[in-house]
Amino acid sequence: MKRNTFYFVTGSQHLYGQETLRLVEENSRLISQYINNHPENPCQVIYKDTVTTAEEINKLLKAANNDETCAGIIVWMHTFSPAKMWIEGLTNLEKPLLHLHTQANLEIPFESIDMDFMNLNQSAHGDREFGHIMTKMRINRKVVAGYYQDETVLKEIFTWMRASSAYKFSRELKVVRIGDNMRDVAVTEGDKVAAQIKFGWSVNGYGVGDLIDYINKVDNQEIEDLLNLYQQEYDFITDDIKAVKEQAKFEIAIEKMLQDKGARAITTTFENLYGLAQLPGLSIQRLMAKGYGFGAEGDWKTAALTAVLKYMSLGLAGGTSFMEDYTYHLPENDQFILGAHMLEICPSIAGDKPKIDVQPLGIGGKNPPARMIFNAKPSKAVVATLIDLGERFRLIVNKIKIIEERKMPKLPVAQVLWKPEPSLTVSATAWIYAGGAHHTVLSTQINEKHLRDFAQIANIEYVEINEETELN
């Protein structure tokens, strides 16, 4: 995440003279350094320049476009920067933009304020001039207003920086599909070409035989070494070591295949398992814990979204996982959702030490697969789904609260219980009206603000279901 840089660009003009411009630059450096040095800053903020002409603006924004490390620009009008100067540069800009509406001074110095001070500190109307031209040009941007040392302001900036960095990651994301989609399922389908245009995702299919080639090349010692690691990190409640070793072999082979393809996400489906002894389970859980995205039944949109959200949340406490709404608890005053999947829930959200077990799957017609079993840690969280509506994409987000576990001794899968906002019935009704899928990404690391910023940067529809949602 720290490899991503953000240009801090200040707007002004030559009207005020060199001394004013010197003070503008001095203040801008101090502000950018303060943001950059903050302990919660996930990336790097670099003061680039104070621009005063259309030529300087265009040159700097083109440089941002061509800088592979640059994930976005932060722009501030310290004085008054006539907005027509920005038209050509903004027309050419290809990076996300945050408009920081702040000022160098916290308070008005009532006793000493004079015209020199007024001419220097003009963001109150300089930023409004800049905001006007961006609205007139329909420039997609984030606006954050307030004193630059205010923690609320800084959190807004850092949230946007994570979303911008994730979008940069997204533009180069490759997804490996093993087999095809689960037959006759609607939400796992979609326009992969449109997704590559919109998000940058390169989604390509491979036969199960391609994976088997990698599996057949795994060395027995590699499997034994990984099994030893499993035994150190997890509690075993199975004696079927052979099945666990099979998953260890899958983990090694799948990761090698992903690395060779330059991919960070994968899909599988229980309907394409020819030549495999089990459906990948424990192996997929382990790969997700390493940061790879996953989607079941060939769901490449959720696989990519999982990878993007895992990148977005790097370094933050908590976890992020592929998820599925499974079944409901509907007593009037105690309603909640049981989220799980056949096998593939990421242990990054675990609240207890995962256990490894081997149990029949009841679907797919293969040997019982090994999997991790655990309960999720209670926490605030979000669930998000990305859907393809034919002519557009929509990101749907529900704020939720993961609750304490309930004993389910006969359910041999990782499981999460959560209460959605504003209630289960309103949430579920709104989700269905919005067209939300049953596959989601659950995260306790990021919140709805990160996802809203990402949707804005990607220029897609965003629907949020929260405590204020009313169906009407």
Side-chain angles (χ1 to χ4, degrees):
M1 185 67 74
K2 278 290 183 183
R3 296 174 183 170
N4 299 307
T5 62
F6 289 83
Y7 288 10
F8 191 95
V9 181
T10 305
S12 188
Q13 60 177 308
H14 284 292
L15 181 66
Y16 308 107
Q18 289 304 309
E19 177 58 19
T20 296
L21 288 176
R22 184 189 68 78
L23 293 172
V24 167
E25 180 176 344
E26 183 179 301
N27 289 338
S28 298
R29 287 185 183 276
L30 288 173
I31 292 173
S32 62
Q33 288 170 6
Y34 185 89
I35 298 171
N36 186 57
N37 294 334
H38 194 279
E40 293 185 17
N41 175 19
C43 307
Q44 298 180 62
V45 175
I46 302 171
Y47 172 74
K48 273 296 178 179
D49 214 344
T50 298
V51 287
T52 57
T53 66
E55 292 74 20
E56 291 175 353
I57 293 166
N58 202 25
K59 182 179 179 181
L60 182 56
L61 298 191
K62 283 184 177 179
N65 290 340
N66 295 325
D67 186 347
E68 293 183 358
T69 70
C70 179
I73 67 169
I74 300 172
V75 180
W76 172 47
M77 303 300 113
H78 189 318
T79 57
F80 191 86
S81 182
K84 288 171 64 177
M85 296 194 307
W86 288 85
I87 292 175
E88 185 65 17
L90 291 173
T91 299
N92 295 322
L93 182 64
E94 299 170 357
K95 296 293 174 83
L97 184 149
L98 182 143
H99 182 190
L100 178 59
H101 182 39
T102 191
Q103 60 185 33
N105 55 299
L106 176 61
E107 300 174 337
I108 297 173
F110 297 105
E111 294 297 324
S112 61
I113 187 169
D114 56 16
M115 286 309 300
D116 288 338
F117 183 94
M118 292 280 281
N119 286 333
L120 176 63
N121 298 281
Q122 297 185 56
S123 59
H125 62 285
D127 275 327
R128 292 169 194 254
E129 163 80 356
F130 183 64
H132 166 75
I133 200 65
M134 286 197 291
T135 297
K136 191 177 182 73
M137 294 177 65
R138 299 183 183 272
I139 299 294
N140 198 10
R141 83 278 196 188
K142 172 81 171 181
V143 179
V144 177
Y147 188 52
Y148 71 94
Q149 294 186 17
D150 187 296
E151 289 296 316
T152 302
V153 169
L154 289 163
K155 285 180 180 179
E156 287 284 316
I157 295 171
F158 299 149
T159 293
W160 175 84
M161 287 169 65
R162 283 187 175 275
S164 298
S165 297
Y167 182 72
K168 176 173 171 282
F169 168 84
S170 175
R171 297 306 307 178
E172 299 177 349
L173 178 62
K174 295 180 180 179
V175 182
V176 165
R177 298 174 69 232
I178 304 298
D180 207 340
N181 300 72
M182 180 180 174
R183 301 176 191 112
D184 294 325
V185 175
V187 295
T188 57
E189 295 286 356
D191 188 335
K192 293 185 282 291
V193 175
Q196 187 162 1
I197 293 168
K198 179 60 70 174
F199 304 106
W201 303 341
S202 176
V203 184
N204 292 303
Y206 295 86
V208 181
D210 294 312
L211 175 57
I212 290 174
D213 284 343
Y214 279 90
I215 290 172
N216 291 337
K217 295 174 184 177
V218 176
D219 183 81
N220 286 333
Q221 189 58 52
E222 292 180 282
I223 297 172
E224 292 296 331
D225 290 344
L226 191 52
L227 176 64
N228 290 334
L229 181 63
Y230 291 171
Q231 290 169 332
Q232 293 172 30
E233 294 190 2
Y234 316 113
D235 291 332
F236 276 57
I237 56 175
T238 180
D239 296 326
D240 192 348
I241 301 301
K242 181 179 178 182
V244 179
K245 284 185 175 182
E246 193 71 17
Q247 291 289 332
K249 186 192 297 184
F250 288 175
E251 179 184 339
I252 295 164
I254 293 171
E255 186 164 25
K256 183 66 167 62
M257 184 177 183
L258 291 172
Q259 290 172 345
D260 285 352
K261 308 303 180 188
R264 294 295 302 175
I266 185 170
T267 71
T268 62
T269 174
F270 62 87
E271 289 183 329
N272 289 114
L273 295 176
Y274 186 80
L276 297 179
Q278 308 172 22
L279 175 66
L282 170 62
S283 52
I284 293 295
Q285 291 177 294
R286 289 265 309 167
L287 289 167
M288 269 197 287
K290 295 178 182 179
Y292 291 96
F294 172 75
E297 290 95 52
D299 188 350
W300 52 270
K301 295 189 297 298
T302 304
L305 188 62
T306 306
V308 169
L309 267 57
K310 278 185 170 290
Y311 183 85
M312 191 186 298
S313 60
L314 282 172
L316 297 176
T320 298
S321 177
F322 168 77
M323 187 53 63
E324 179 172 278
D325 296 69
Y326 239 93
T327 192
Y328 295 146
H329 190 69
L330 292 176
E332 184 175 355
N333 296 316
D334 190 29
Q335 297 186 347
F336 53 82
I337 296 172
L338 168 59
H341 203 254
M342 293 183 292
L343 299 170
E344 312 96 343
I345 301 300
C346 180
S348 64
I349 65 171
D352 53 0
K353 187 176 182 180
K355 302 175 178 63
I356 291 183
D357 198 6
V358 178
Q359 295 286 345
L361 190 59
I363 194 168
K366 293 291 182 176
N367 295 334
R371 80 291 302 270
M372 281 187 241
I373 301 173
F374 54 83
N375 293 287
K377 183 179 181 180
S379 173
K380 291 181 179 180
V382 288
V383 286
T385 189
L386 182 74
I387 61 171
D388 183 346
L389 292 172
E391 74 284 4
R392 65 200 191 279
F393 290 94
R394 174 182 290 169
L395 183 65
I396 306 168
V397 176
N398 192 186
K399 295 173 66 177
I400 67 171
K401 183 179 180 181
I402 299 175
I403 62 175
E404 293 286 346
E405 64 183 90
R406 305 287 177 98
K407 297 298 181 184
M408 291 178 269
K410 295 184 179 181
L411 185 62
V413 293
Q415 53 207 242
V416 189
L417 299 177
W418 73 79
K419 291 187 176 183
E421 293 185 358
S423 68
L424 193 155
T425 51
V426 172
S427 163
T429 306
W431 190 273
I432 289 170
Y433 272 132
H438 59 284
H439 286 169
T440 62
V441 184
L442 181 149
S443 182
T444 63
Q445 295 175 284
I446 58 173
N447 58 41
E448 71 284 355
K449 293 180 180 179
H450 295 88
L451 295 164
R452 191 184 308 134
D453 282 353
F454 180 82
Q456 184 182 52
I457 292 165
N459 198 24
I460 61 171
E461 289 186 2
Y462 176 81
V463 174
E464 183 179 308
I465 304 169
N466 57 32
E467 67 277 8
E468 298 178 353
T469 296
E470 294 183 5
L471 291 176
N472 287 335

